[in-house]
Amino acid sequence: MRCLFSFLLLALVSVVRAVSTKGGRLLVVLEDSSEKDNYSKFWGDLEGRGFKLSFESPKSDGLSLFQHGERAHDHIILFPAKSKGLGPTLTAQHLLKYLNADGNILLALSSKTPTPAALASLLLELDVHLPPERTNLVVDHFNYDVTSASEKHDVVLLPRPGALREGVRNFFGGEGKGEEVIAFPRGVGHTLGNASPLLVPVLRAPRTAYAYNPKDEADFVEEPFAVGQQLGLVSTLQARNSARFTILGAVEMLSNDWFDASVKHSLGEGGVGKGAKSVKTSNRAFAKEISAWTFSETGVLKAGRVEHYLNTGNATSREMNPEIYRVKNDVTYSIELSEHQLTHYAPFLPPTNDEVQLEVTMLSPFHRLPLKLTGKTANSSIFTASFTLPDQHGIFAFRVNYKRPFFTNIDEKRTVTVRHFAHDEWPRSWAISGGWVWIAGVWGTVVGWIMFIGLWMYNAPRGGAKLVGSGKKAQ
């Protein structure tokens, strides 16, 4: 009975724990506590998903990212601050150290306040660029909300983002109805450098948008910071250790006012938006999707059981995961992959036009084979490939190296020894059809030699001289 009670208690604890794969300790850095109520719906959604929120001012004495050498929080949300500095705790070096410790960060910006120097330095380290004045305002005179921004055009309306490219999962596309609208109110744009392959844009500005310094009072903008799809509005970075960093250009996207606001599209190019009706924004759903990805609730892959074996004998007598194979052996490799979907692990299915591959390598790949889906369990998919080992002995690795945008990295490697043929494992000469002519030649020589010896020994010479006793020839 005690064991049963312990099991039920453990199950209950696992249910109330955070659904994130990294934990539920979420730090919210908010300078003005009076603004906390403006985002109550966002806090409620996070708490409903199992996160434990703690709020701190950036210059609070009790603020610490690490405790006893470990992360004090699993995730951080950084809200815009009016002060130029964020104190000794939230420096660029400390935040980079936090990312290197596998922590996740959601950074929200606003055009109303310049980005603190520490955060601008952090973005520069990640190859994300802001203008020198560390602030700008994104406007679009063709795609704005006529209800709330009829004059300044600073509430940009955008459709749901599409897939980054073919073969990449879209975690932020919503239900795919094509009618959902995201409001980007009074936001900051940024540009992405080309030096980091880890940066991925999620939401780009329309091609008619541009960003400028709102302090400029001129009637027109001579030198905008960036225009069109050069501007990133929401971008993500996943480090090599799978830590995640997201830049949200408009913090007001998370506010209560814009979660369910009614917006009406302006008249755009080519008559787009003509006769448009008021629709509800999808900001709340988008905020859930972007925060779930940032806090490792979605897009997390896990490798389960990995097996490889020789294709001989029956299944019950096979030796699993042997350390030594022989050249030209027929081998089968299988791996189980799971994907975390908000609350649980589920079988992983690669996106359309994508595949998981197996590499058989020794310094460089000898084989690169697609792994086929051959079965499923309750929370994983089984991928399998059968192949023949190359005619090369040495130390080989069976490696699955799956790295895709928005997914955590899978790098599973198993090292085996591939030996050459033993002396008694080479095929006999008579089993090789190409050797038959040589075998016939050898046996022909042997038979001919025996026949010659027989003829020489059993055939006496005809006639010939005879010797006498003195050894002289008889005349």
Side-chain angles (χ1 to χ4, degrees):
M1 178 63 69
R2 181 177 296 176
C3 295
L4 179 60
F5 178 78
S6 300
F7 177 78
L8 293 176
L9 181 61
L10 181 63
L12 180 61
V13 170
S14 65
V15 169
V16 299
R17 284 185 60 192
V19 297
S20 171
T21 57
K22 293 185 180 179
R25 299 172 300 174
L26 176 58
L27 171 65
V28 181
V29 180
L30 185 63
E31 185 179 48
D32 189 356
S33 59
S34 63
E35 296 182 358
K36 180 179 176 181
D37 293 338
N38 296 338
Y39 305 91
S40 59
K41 293 182 180 180
F42 183 54
W43 311 139
D45 290 346
L46 291 173
E47 290 174 343
R49 280 150 46 195
F51 289 99
K52 183 179 179 181
L53 277 63
S54 58
F55 295 84
E56 293 286 351
S57 172
K59 295 184 179 180
S60 172
D61 294 335
L63 178 61
S64 177
L65 302 184
F66 296 92
Q67 187 175 12
H68 306 302
E70 298 293 333
R71 294 195 319 263
H73 309 277
D74 302 308
H75 321 279
I76 298 177
I77 299 178
L78 297 172
F79 267 58
K82 297 179 181 178
S83 56
K84 295 182 179 180
L86 296 179
T89 302
L90 299 177
T91 62
Q93 291 79 7
H94 288 167
L95 292 172
L96 283 175
K97 181 180 178 182
Y98 181 80
L99 286 173
N100 289 331
D102 207 17
N104 300 324
I105 298 177
L106 174 61
L107 172 62
L109 304 177
S110 174
S111 62
K112 296 179 180 180
T113 57
T115 304
L119 297 181
S121 299
L122 173 64
L123 294 176
L124 195 59
E125 290 282 347
L126 303 178
D127 205 18
V128 180
H129 303 275
L130 296 176
E133 55 272 12
R134 304 196 306 274
T135 185
N136 60 62
L137 177 65
V138 178
V139 297
D140 190 336
H141 303 301
F142 297 91
N143 300 283
Y144 63 91
D145 177 29
V146 298
T147 304
S148 61
S150 57
E151 294 183 2
K152 294 185 177 181
H153 304 170
D154 54 0
V155 178
V156 182
L157 301 184
L158 305 111
R160 283 283 198 154
L164 181 66
R165 60 175 182 268
E166 189 178 12
V168 174
R169 178 81 62 83
N170 184 8
F171 287 93
F172 317 105
E175 299 178 359
K177 295 180 179 179
E179 300 177 355
E180 299 179 79
V181 175
I182 297 175
F184 188 80
R186 291 169 283 278
V188 176
H190 56 268
T191 59
L192 305 180
N194 297 322
S196 176
L198 306 176
L199 284 169
V200 180
V202 173
L203 202 61
R204 288 187 180 273
R207 66 188 188 90
T208 52
Y210 63 92
Y212 74 102
N213 187 352
K215 295 182 179 180
D216 293 340
E217 299 296 336
D219 294 334
F220 60 92
V221 178
E222 294 183 358
E223 295 183 359
F225 166 63
V227 298
Q229 296 196 344
Q230 296 175 339
L231 277 169
L233 306 181
V234 180
S235 299
T236 62
L237 177 142
Q238 181 171 263
R240 302 190 196 283
N241 63 349
S242 295
R244 292 175 172 179
F245 182 87
T246 297
I247 311 127
L248 188 69
V251 68
E252 290 187 52
M253 292 179 67
L254 307 177
S255 66
N256 299 341
D257 295 338
W258 289 102
F259 260 21
D260 299 310
S262 295
V263 294
K264 186 176 180 181
H265 202 288
S266 62
L267 182 62
E269 287 184 308
V272 175
K274 185 177 181 180
K277 299 180 180 179
S278 295
V279 295
K280 295 286 186 180
T281 65
S282 299
N283 284 30
R284 188 168 194 167
F286 181 75
K288 178 181 179 181
E289 293 164 357
I290 197 69
S291 62
W293 182 88
T294 305
F295 301 148
S296 299
E297 296 176 84
T298 58
V300 179
L301 300 183
K302 181 180 71 173
R305 184 170 54 182
V306 178
E307 292 181 344
H308 54 88
Y309 52 85
L310 195 62
N311 290 344
T312 57
N314 53 48
T316 56
S317 62
R318 285 176 182 155
E319 179 186 359
M320 290 295 177
N321 302 327
E323 296 181 357
I324 299 179
Y325 287 101
R326 193 206 68 207
V327 296
K328 295 186 177 182
N329 271 156
D330 293 327
V331 177
T332 294
Y333 176 95
S334 65
I335 184 172
E336 293 185 5
L337 296 179
S338 305
E339 176 187 357
H340 195 266
Q341 298 178 349
L342 287 178
T343 60
H344 63 284
Y345 277 101
F348 169 66
L349 297 176
T352 306
N353 298 323
D354 188 25
E355 61 185 9
V356 184
Q357 293 182 335
L358 169 68
E359 294 181 351
V360 182
T361 65
M362 186 175 65
L363 298 181
S364 60
F366 278 69
H367 293 312
R368 185 175 282 119
L369 308 166
L371 287 163
K372 303 297 184 183
L373 179 64
T374 56
K376 293 183 180 180
T377 65
N379 56 10
S380 64
S381 299
I382 303 173
F383 296 89
T384 306
S386 296
F387 57 95
T388 301
L389 288 173
D391 190 8
Q392 173 70 47
H393 64 275
I395 306 300
F396 280 80
F398 299 155
R399 185 181 185 188
V400 175
N401 187 17
Y402 187 80
K403 296 179 181 178
R404 300 293 187 275
F406 305 121
F407 280 119
T408 55
N409 301 329
I410 292 291
D411 192 357
E412 288 291 325
K413 184 165 63 174
R414 298 293 185 271
T415 302
V416 297
T417 300
V418 178
R419 62 175 178 84
H420 52 66
F421 279 97
H423 293 296
D424 57 352
E425 290 179 329
W426 291 100
R428 301 295 90 185
S429 56
W430 55 81
I432 304 174
S433 59
W436 290 351
V437 61
W438 307 105
I439 295 173
V442 169
W443 283 109
T445 302
V446 171
V447 171
W449 177 252
I450 293 175
M451 292 176 61
F452 170 76
I453 293 299
L455 291 173
W456 184 78
M457 292 183 63
Y458 293 101
N459 285 275
R462 297 181 180 179
K466 295 182 180 180
L467 296 177
V468 297
S470 62
K472 296 181 179 181
K473 286 185 179 182
Q475 299 295 328

